[in-house]
């Protein structure tokens, strides 16, 4: 999707280190971290928000990735956050799950 920051990161048009990648998604450190570890888990497919998800297998895949990332990063206690819609604070209109850990 044109003009989407996360699609540009996925396509390497904007450089960003991937902390994790699998078939369905990738993960990067948040540019403006709100916890000691703040990771964004992003599906490779451009979907605007949780409200647009039709295939719930995607959600399963994202949470499987979260388990893998947390194992890799030695994160045991954490919060997850999905902002859905501008009025709920979603800034980047490409679905992503925040992992926040102190
Ligand atoms: P939202 O408010 O949409 O749920 O969260 C978007 C998040 O993406 C914010 O926490 C923001 O700091 C992060 N972010 C925005 N642009 C970039 C970027 O170019 N690179 C990275 N790594 N994070 C970004
Ligand atoms: Zn996108």
């Amino acid at each position: 999707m044109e003009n989407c920051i996360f699609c540009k990161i996925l396509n390497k048009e904007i450089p960003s280190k991937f902390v994790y990648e699998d078939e369905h998604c990738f993960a990067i450190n948040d540019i403006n971290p709100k916890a000691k570890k703040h990771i964004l888990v992003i599906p490779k497919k451009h979907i605007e928000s949780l409200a647009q998800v039709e295939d719930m297998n995607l959600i399963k895949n994202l949470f499987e990735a979260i388990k893998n990332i947390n194992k890799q990063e030695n994160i045991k206690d954490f919060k997850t956050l999905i902002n859905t819609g501008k009025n709920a604070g979603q800034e980047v209109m490409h679905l992503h799950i925040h992992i926040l850990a102190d």
Side-chain angles (χ1 to χ4, degrees):
M1 175 67 69
E2 260 177 64
N3 291 326
C4 169
I5 292 170
F6 292 163
C7 284
K8 283 185 177 169
I9 289 173
L10 175 64
N11 298 329
K12 317 277 184 206
E13 289 166 51
I14 297 174
S16 188
K17 188 184 158 234
F18 287 17
V19 299
Y20 175 86
E21 183 174 10
D22 66 25
E23 193 185 341
H24 307 286
C25 67
F26 64 105
I28 55 175
N29 289 311
D30 197 291
I31 206 168
N32 180 21
K34 292 169 191 80
K36 270 189 207 140
K37 285 192 176 171
H38 186 169
I39 296 168
L40 303 173
V41 185
I42 307 166
K44 290 183 171 174
K45 188 175 176 193
H46 180 92
I47 295 173
E48 235 183 58
S49 82
L50 185 60
Q52 273 77 38
V53 173
E54 285 177 358
D55 180 2
M56 284 299 159
N57 284 315
L58 176 67
I59 302 304
K60 178 174 172 275
N61 295 333
L62 292 173
F63 275 92
E64 274 168 0
I66 288 171
K67 286 197 80 167
N68 292 335
I69 292 162
N70 287 348
K71 195 170 177 191
Q72 179 190 299
E73 301 294 315
N74 199 27
I75 294 172
K76 294 194 167 63
D77 295 353
F78 61 95
K79 293 178 190 177
T80 52
L81 174 70
I82 307 175
N83 293 321
T84 305
K86 287 202 167 71
N87 291 333
Q90 185 177 0
E91 289 169 12
V92 178
M93 301 312 281
H94 178 140
L95 173 66
H96 51 283
I97 305 178
H98 298 252
I99 303 173
L100 297 140
D102 283 312

